[in-house]
Amino acid sequence: SLEKRPNWEAKSAMALNYSKWDNIVCSSDDDDDCHPNIDKKLWRRLMKEKREKKASEDLARKNFLESENEKDKKELSEIQALKEETEAVDLEEKEKSILAAIKKRDREILAINRRKKWKPEEMCHVVEDRTVVNTPKKIDEDIKNMEYEEFVKRFESKLEAYSKLTTERLSQGFLIKNPELLHEHSSGFLLLRSLDLEMNGKSDAMKKVVKQYLIVQYVLDLTKSMGKTDPREVLLPFFKKLESGEKMTGLREEVESFSQKIKERAKVKLKEQEEERKNKKTFIGEDGKEYEYVELSKEERMGPGGLDPIEVLESLPEKLREAFANKDVPALQKAIREMPIEEAKKHMDRCTAAGLWNPSNDSEEGESGKEE
């Protein structure tokens, strides 16, 4: 016996029937019919206008047919009411004529509905509409009024991390997460950082930091020019503008220009440091290390008794002054022995008050005191 087998080809053809999407229109579909010599944007606009004109004509025709049907249905109800009172043959003929007209219009309305072209936005509807507002991270008032040293000490790790970013997208995300870096002290830190890198011969790293500096500075300047108080209000618009090729080119040119200024400033700074090293006065301490002479103010020089050691040293007799200057204890003892007791005591008391002499910590000084 022959076994009845399913018609797989027929089922496959039914499963792959895409005709239900024939009336969906996308502007990109028009490109298939576009001639190579015709601009695609112009062709899409022409096809769109053609579809819209056809759709408006069909809609006007459909509205007209529906209004005619409403009139005929009202007249049909009146005829049916008259038929109950009289059995006129002409009423039946008129009723059949009206029904036929309504049926014909219904077929035309159905044809209009079937050939209607659907755009993607017309095939969907809003089920739920809501707005979710993210609460922005608040910036403490203390941070706004913070001194430079305190600001750098608190955010140095974040500033270092930001200065090493290489793309605008990473910079945008980092500043959104850390809005406290949109501060004038950040600009100052990045500027000094770029100068330090150039002075150490790291020009490539310097240019990267310069770009990060300019981004922060541009945002701060844009905030002021737009009359805003919070730099975050202009952060996203700024990076949106950077997406255009013209703005990005302008930023790169500014980085090159500013980097050149940093290089020139670094040369001047290195020259100043070299001259400073040449003119710097140093001495070798008792520990064998080199120390720099630093001029102290009068307040800083004051000894334990409130006297200025320089003034006291200059007021001493010549022999006593030379002994102190040369740190020669035997010469100091000899100069004291040659002086009257009252005068020697007066000078040594002033030296103790100025911090030039500390008899309690030196055995030799103690011996000198006994001789006095």
Side-chain angles (χ1 to χ4, degrees):
S1 62
L2 296 175
E3 182 181 355
K4 186 176 181 181
R5 298 181 180 178
N7 189 349
W8 295 108
E9 293 183 0
K11 288 190 176 182
S12 177
M14 291 175 63
L16 299 175
N17 184 11
Y18 296 105
S19 60
K20 59 183 178 180
W21 289 296
D22 287 346
N23 287 352
I24 299 176
V25 177
C26 294
S27 58
S28 58
D29 295 340
D30 298 330
D31 296 347
D32 298 336
D33 302 327
C34 181
H35 192 275
N37 295 337
I38 300 177
D39 182 60
K40 286 187 177 181
K41 292 183 179 179
L42 173 62
W43 180 257
R44 288 183 183 181
R45 188 166 66 251
L46 292 173
M47 291 297 101
K48 181 181 178 182
E49 292 175 357
K50 181 180 178 181
R51 283 192 295 270
E52 289 176 351
K53 181 179 179 181
K54 177 63 176 175
S56 65
E57 291 175 354
D58 285 346
L59 181 61
R61 179 62 179 170
K62 180 181 176 181
N63 291 337
F64 171 75
L65 295 173
E66 288 176 345
S67 64
E68 290 296 313
N69 278 354
E70 289 297 324
K71 293 178 184 178
D72 284 352
K73 287 177 182 178
K74 189 181 293 185
E75 186 178 357
L76 190 61
S77 60
E78 292 175 358
I79 291 174
Q80 290 174 349
L82 289 173
K83 281 178 62 179
E84 294 177 357
E85 298 176 1
T86 60
E87 295 182 358
V89 178
D90 58 337
L91 291 177
E92 290 184 4
E93 292 294 332
K94 193 171 184 180
E95 181 181 11
K96 290 179 180 179
S97 175
I98 292 173
L99 288 172
I102 292 175
K103 190 175 181 180
K104 183 179 179 181
R105 293 192 200 101
D106 286 340
R107 284 197 299 268
E108 189 173 352
I109 291 172
L110 181 61
I112 291 173
N113 290 335
R114 284 179 175 173
R115 68 169 177 263
K116 179 182 177 181
K117 301 295 182 181
W118 292 87
K119 293 182 286 187
E121 56 268 21
E122 296 175 337
M123 299 167 62
C124 306
H125 64 282
V126 178
V127 177
E128 181 183 4
D129 188 7
R130 61 177 179 169
T131 302
V132 179
V133 180
N134 293 327
T135 304
K137 182 180 177 182
K138 293 183 179 179
I139 302 177
D140 296 337
E141 289 296 326
D142 295 341
I143 295 177
K144 295 181 180 179
N145 304 321
M146 197 176 287
E147 294 295 330
Y148 176 80
E149 291 78 9
E150 185 182 359
F151 182 88
V152 172
K153 184 177 179 181
R154 182 170 175 181
F155 300 113
E156 186 172 7
S157 59
K158 290 184 178 181
L159 287 167
E160 288 286 352
Y162 170 74
S163 68
K164 296 175 182 177
L165 300 177
T166 55
T167 66
E168 291 72 28
R169 185 177 294 277
L170 290 175
S171 299
Q172 178 182 344
F174 196 89
L175 291 175
I176 289 174
K177 290 181 181 179
N178 303 282
E180 62 273 8
L181 297 187
L182 294 171
H183 197 286
E184 58 184 6
H185 293 332
S186 297
S187 297
F189 174 86
L190 294 168
L191 191 60
L192 293 174
R193 180 69 175 150
S194 62
L195 180 61
D196 182 64
L197 288 170
E198 179 59 30
M199 290 175 66
N200 286 282
K202 301 177 181 179
S203 298
D204 292 339
M206 177 271 291
K207 286 186 179 181
K208 294 177 182 178
V209 177
V210 164
K211 187 181 79 169
Q212 299 304 96
Y213 158 77
L214 289 174
I215 288 174
V216 172
Q217 193 59 49
Y218 281 161
V219 172
L220 294 176
D221 292 343
L222 192 60
T223 303
K224 292 179 182 178
S225 65
M226 295 179 66
K228 305 291 185 181
T229 57
D230 193 339
R232 289 175 294 181
E233 296 181 44
V234 301
L235 185 62
L236 292 179
F238 168 75
F239 279 101
K240 189 69 176 176
K241 287 183 178 180
L242 271 187
E243 293 178 2
S244 67
E246 184 179 351
K247 295 291 182 181
M248 184 60 71
T249 302
L251 176 62
R252 293 195 185 102
E253 291 176 353
E254 186 64 23
V255 168
E256 292 297 328
S257 174
F258 201 87
S259 297
Q260 192 60 36
K261 294 178 181 178
I262 293 292
K263 289 180 179 180
E264 293 173 2
R265 177 56 185 159
K267 291 178 182 178
V268 173
K269 194 73 176 174
L270 288 171
K271 187 176 180 181
E272 291 175 354
Q273 288 182 353
E274 183 63 28
E275 291 178 356
E276 187 178 345
R277 277 194 294 270
K278 290 179 180 179
N279 299 327
K280 185 167 60 175
K281 296 180 179 180
T282 60
F283 65 95
I284 305 299
E286 295 179 357
D287 55 0
K289 295 181 180 179
E290 184 180 10
Y291 293 92
E292 179 185 359
Y293 283 106
V294 178
E295 185 176 354
L296 301 177
S297 64
K298 186 175 182 179
E299 290 76 13
E300 293 173 328
R301 292 197 305 262
M302 287 298 180
L307 296 181
D308 184 359
I310 294 179
E311 293 179 355
V312 172
L313 187 64
E314 292 175 350
S315 67
L316 294 176
E318 184 178 354
K319 290 184 178 180
L320 200 60
R321 184 170 63 248
E322 289 178 356
F324 272 109
N326 297 327
K327 297 181 181 181
D328 190 343
V329 176
L332 177 64
Q333 293 172 345
K334 182 180 179 182
I336 291 174
R337 282 196 298 268
E338 294 174 353
M339 295 172 62
I341 295 176
E342 291 298 327
E343 185 180 355
K345 188 175 185 305
K346 173 188 173 184
H347 287 308
M348 294 309 296
D349 287 343
R350 293 182 73 240
C351 289
T352 301
L356 293 173
W357 183 255
N358 187 3
S360 62
N361 292 339
D362 197 309
S363 59
E364 292 182 355
E365 292 167 4
E367 293 173 3
S368 174
K370 289 177 183 178
E371 291 180 20
E372 289 174 20

